[in-house]
Structures are given as structure tokens and as C-alpha cells.
Amino acid sequence: MMQTHTGLIGLGTMGAALALNIAEKGFPIAVWNRTGSVTVAFQATAGDLAARITPTETLAGFVQAITPPRAIILMVPAGQPVDDQLAALAPLLGPEDLVIDAGNANFRDTNRRDAAGLSFRFMGIGVSGGEEGARHGPAIMAGGPDQAWAQMKPVLQAIAARAEDATPCADHMGPSGAGHFVKAVHNGIEYADMQMISEVYGVMRDGMGMAAAQIAPVFARWNEGVLQSYLVEISGQVAAAADPVGGGAMLDVIVDAAGQKGTGRWTAVEAQHLAAPVPVIEAAVMARNVSARRAERAAGEARFGKAEAVVDLSLADLEQAMIAGKILCYAQGFAMMTAAASEFDWALDMPAIARVWRAGCIIRSSMLNDMAQALAEDAGRNLILAPFFAGLLDESLPALRRVVAAGALQGLPLPALSAGLAWFDLMRQARGTANMVQGQRDFFGAHGFDRLDGKDLRHGPWGQAG
């Protein structure tokens, strides 16, 4: 048996892929799964990498197979299963051993676990890229003590994706739940990016009468320009895919209801706590929730009719609208992380975050190189004010306005693109209209009114105004 300092618990799709990646990069690894047959099957299919993998039958045997100081990666479902696994490991580990939660944990759970006085060291890391990324190179956002990062840095940077400049897309975000927080914001941006692509697809389909086969080359062409990204690339591939049963477009038979795992929702919720507006992400979460209400949407269409009007837009308009929407969405995400850094006393390195996202993760795109540069110039400046992105917005915002206006006039739903434009217009008003809101609040306070229902607190069952 090869000596190893690293182990992994949980051989599901992501865990198995990550274990093979670690072994392939030259690090022997011990593995354990609660269901023993899964471990056996994993080892049997590991091929040439099996020599670097030590399968174990029991949790105690798993721990014993790892040479101290141990580093144990948990790839188990978020929530209570992580707490249960930590409790099971506690009597088997020493104070120098390290446990890494690499699942999609809520950062507040990671903060709680870190502060719980565990008998071993603990860190949480966000891993993005799906099964393919886990196997061949994900983007990794690590949170935890500096010494824990120092211990895991050689492994994590070895298995991570590489950007075009060969930089590993793995870095230390900060203490405690910082890594899982950055991963949640990544996922929120992912929701928004996917939603904006879907909205533009909807305009082409319902407003321009284009079939999926006609839409596919449009996305492919956009992927060769400013919008070059993994999501635009696969959108073209999805639009081009044929139904293997009926032979038509696969998009035309996919059920119109989008699932979600909750991380985008966490981003929207935390943004409210931080008073950091992320309306594009919030709109994307809302749109997914509405998509699940298929019966209600069918009833709405039956009563009010479906929007299928021809819009006077060009494909160039849609491309430019996407460019503007993407900039506005990412600007909101980075502003939210800046607010979190202040709130939680984290020294989040914004240029480093942008660099980590350049490869391996779902939102990887060529634009992130420019974002990293802009943030390196001034990390505290909103991205829309960086000269490069301000210039892109000067060029693309007129098209975004045309697209949003056409959608509103013709009844084509564009919640994320519309939210981005509304946010931008608020951000460009030195003197806005919030003085009216504040005036209303002041009036309520001065006259003893309940701001929720307008009742006068000086009368009736509400008692006397103070």
C-alpha cells in the first residue's frame, strides 16, 4: 500500500472524478464510501490509476490508511450529512489533521463549523466545473486558516484548471466560509448568465420566428467575439442538438421548467442581508421559480394569450444587449463580494477571484481577463466605472435599451436584462428619486403611522403613539 497523506469520503459523481484527478496528478489517495460496493466498483474502474488509490471498507480503516498529518476531503451532500461525517471522524483524528468540506455548503454553515471548536483543523472549499471539471481541472475557491491552505495548496493547484497563461485556477479566498461564499456568488452569476442567454433565445424564437437550428449558429458566432464563454458555447451546441427519438430539435422537447440546487437563491438572500443589490441574480432566481409553475403559466397563457409578436430587432442588437447585461451582472457580483469583505472582515482579493474564474468553472469567459485587469487597477471601484467596461457599456447600452423596450411592448419576458438596465439607470443618477421614499418614511414617523398598513397608531387597538 502506497503511503498517502490525502483521503476522500464520498464517491458520487463529483467525488469519484475528484479522486481520479488527484491520483492522476501523482498524489496517492485513500477513499471510502458509506456503501462499500461503490468503493469496490470505483477501484475496479480506475484503470492505471488504481495503483495510487487505496480503497477502504470502514471509516476507521480509512483513517488508518492515511499518514498523519491527514487531509480528508468530504464530498458528501451539504447540510446535516456534513455535520454527521464530522462527528464520526472526530474520535479518529488528531489536532493536526485537516478535514476539507468540498461540497456546495452554505458559507454560514462553514462559519458555524469553523467556530465550533472542532478537535481537528477544518476548511471549506468551493469546487466549480461539474463532473468534467472535477475530473480534469476545476476552479477552486478555498476558505480556511492560512496553514490549512499551505498544506493543501500543492494538491489543489495541481488538480485545478489552468488559465491561458498557465496560472492554476485555485486560490485562497480567506478564512472560514470565504471560499464557500465566493462559490455561492459564482453560482448566482451562473444563474444570471444562463437566464440572460435564455431570454435572448426567447426573443429569437418568439419575437423573430427563428427555429433552434437557426439559433445555434448565432450563439456559435457570438462565442468567437466578446461573449466568448463556456455558457454561450454550449448554448449553441444545445440549440443544434437533435432529439434522438423524434428527430426534431432537442430544445423543443425539453420540459420548460428549470431546476436549481439553491446556491443562486443563497446569493440573492445574502445580498439582501448585505444591502448589496444584485437584481440580475434575483431576477434569474425568480424566473427559475416561475418556470416550475407550469400549470399556472398555462392558465395565464389561456387567459391572456401568448406573446408571439414580431420585434424590430437585429441579431447585432441581441449580441450587444448580452454584452451589456453580462457586464452589469458581474459588476453586481463583485460589488456584493466587496460588501461581504467589509461585513465579515475578509481580505477578499477581487483580481484573484476573477483569475480563478477564468478556466475550469461554469462561468469561465474571455471577459474575465479584462475584469481581473480592471480590478487590479482599482479593486474598490465598481466595474461599470472601469474605463474598459465603461467604454463597452457606451457601445452596448443603446442596444440593451432597444431589446428591453421591445420585450416590454410585445410581452416577451426579459426579467434579468430588464433588471440589469434598471440597476444601471439608478447607478447613473447622482440625484435620484429616493428622497420621495425617505419623505414618505419621515411623514409616517412624524404622524405616528404604521408603515405597513397605514393605520394611525394613536387610535384604536394599536395603543398610543410614543
Side-chain angles (χ1 to χ4, degrees):
M1 182 173 62
M2 300 182 68
Q3 185 183 68
T4 175
H5 291 281
T6 307
L8 184 142
I9 294 175
L11 293 171
T13 300
M14 288 286 288
L18 201 65
L20 291 174
N21 190 354
I22 292 170
E24 187 174 61
K25 297 305 187 294
F27 298 95
I29 186 169
V31 297
W32 180 75
N33 195 81
R34 185 176 59 179
T35 303
S37 59
V38 173
T39 307
V40 173
F42 170 75
Q43 179 73 4
T45 58
D48 294 341
L49 297 176
R52 295 186 188 143
I53 298 170
T54 302
T56 58
E57 298 179 358
T58 66
L59 185 60
F62 166 76
V63 172
Q64 292 171 3
I66 308 170
T67 303
R70 304 173 179 90
I72 296 174
I73 301 169
L74 302 185
M75 294 297 291
V76 301
Q80 190 59 45
V82 175
D83 290 314
D84 293 343
Q85 195 62 69
L86 293 176
L89 284 167
L92 304 175
L93 300 180
E96 297 304 310
D97 293 327
L98 171 65
V99 178
I100 305 107
D101 178 9
N104 260 338
N106 188 307
F107 87 101
R108 291 189 179 276
D109 284 341
T110 306
N111 284 349
R112 170 179 57 80
R113 290 164 184 143
D114 184 59
L118 297 170
S119 58
F120 45 81
R121 292 185 292 146
F122 177 73
M123 69 184 301
I125 65 172
V127 179
S128 178
E131 179 183 2
E132 181 71 14
R135 177 63 184 87
H136 298 292
I140 297 175
M141 296 140 270
D146 290 342
Q147 61 270 34
W149 168 245
Q151 179 180 343
M152 289 305 298
K153 180 179 178 179
V155 176
L156 296 180
Q157 292 198 335
I159 68 172
R162 291 291 189 275
E164 290 182 357
D165 61 3
T167 303
C169 292
D171 210 340
H172 187 212
M173 302 290 106
S176 197
H180 278 139
F181 181 90
V182 172
K183 173 58 163 54
V185 175
H186 164 284
N187 284 24
I189 293 173
E190 176 188 328
Y191 276 40
D193 226 341
M194 295 171 73
Q195 177 61 29
M196 289 187 290
I197 291 170
S198 298
E199 291 172 14
V200 168
Y201 156 72
V203 172
M204 286 189 277
R205 184 192 67 185
D206 299 331
M208 302 172 77
M210 297 173 64
Q214 296 172 298
I215 294 171
V218 175
F219 283 124
R221 185 169 65 253
W222 290 351
N223 193 52
E224 297 173 356
V226 177
L227 289 173
Q228 189 281 319
S229 64
Y230 173 69
L231 285 172
V232 170
E233 177 186 2
I234 66 169
S235 295
Q237 295 171 0
V238 169
D243 174 14
V245 177
M250 180 64 77
L251 270 178
D252 293 341
V253 297
I254 293 176
V255 174
D256 180 31
Q260 57 182 307
K261 296 181 178 179
T263 46
R265 182 173 64 247
W266 293 345
T267 308
V269 170
E270 291 304 329
Q272 294 295 330
H273 287 304
L274 292 166
V278 290
V280 182
I281 295 173
E282 291 171 350
V285 175
M286 177 275 291
R288 290 201 186 197
N289 290 335
V290 171
S291 79
R293 298 175 175 268
R294 298 179 66 207
E296 291 180 54
R297 290 192 290 116
E301 180 179 318
R303 172 59 181 81
F304 299 106
K306 181 181 180 181
E308 288 184 308
V310 176
V311 295
D312 184 19
L313 294 169
S314 67
L315 293 176
D317 281 336
L318 296 181
E319 180 181 18
Q320 290 299 312
M322 280 280 294
I323 291 170
K326 191 178 186 76
I327 295 168
L328 300 175
C329 169
Y330 279 70
Q332 292 168 20
F334 278 104
M336 177 180 174
M337 289 187 289
T338 298
S342 176
E343 176 70 17
F344 302 116
D345 195 25
W346 292 338
L348 295 181
D349 186 334
M350 298 302 162
I353 292 171
R355 288 191 290 268
V356 164
W357 289 349
R358 290 181 300 168
C361 67
I362 304 300
I363 64 172
R364 59 186 183 266
S365 74
S366 60
M367 199 179 285
L368 280 161
N369 286 306
D370 298 309
M371 290 181 179
Q373 178 61 38
L375 291 164
E377 294 168 359
D378 186 346
R381 176 182 58 195
N382 193 293
L383 269 178
I384 67 171
L385 299 175
F388 177 80
F389 290 105
L392 281 180
L393 287 171
D394 286 337
E395 297 172 6
S396 58
L397 275 164
L400 177 60
R401 293 190 187 283
R402 287 192 292 272
V403 171
V404 169
L409 288 171
Q410 303 301 336
L412 296 172
L414 304 173
L417 290 172
S418 300
L421 181 58
W423 174 82
F424 173 80
D425 283 337
L426 284 170
M427 289 289 287
R428 67 194 292 263
Q429 284 192 320
R431 179 171 174 81
T433 57
N435 55 327
M436 172 58 79
V437 175
Q438 187 59 43
Q440 293 166 340
R441 294 183 73 253
D442 291 345
F443 182 87
F444 293 151
H447 292 81
F449 282 90
D450 185 315
R451 291 196 298 270
L452 291 179
D453 57 21
K455 294 183 174 66
D456 190 336
L457 299 183
R458 295 169 297 180
H459 305 286
W462 303 281
Q464 300 299 313

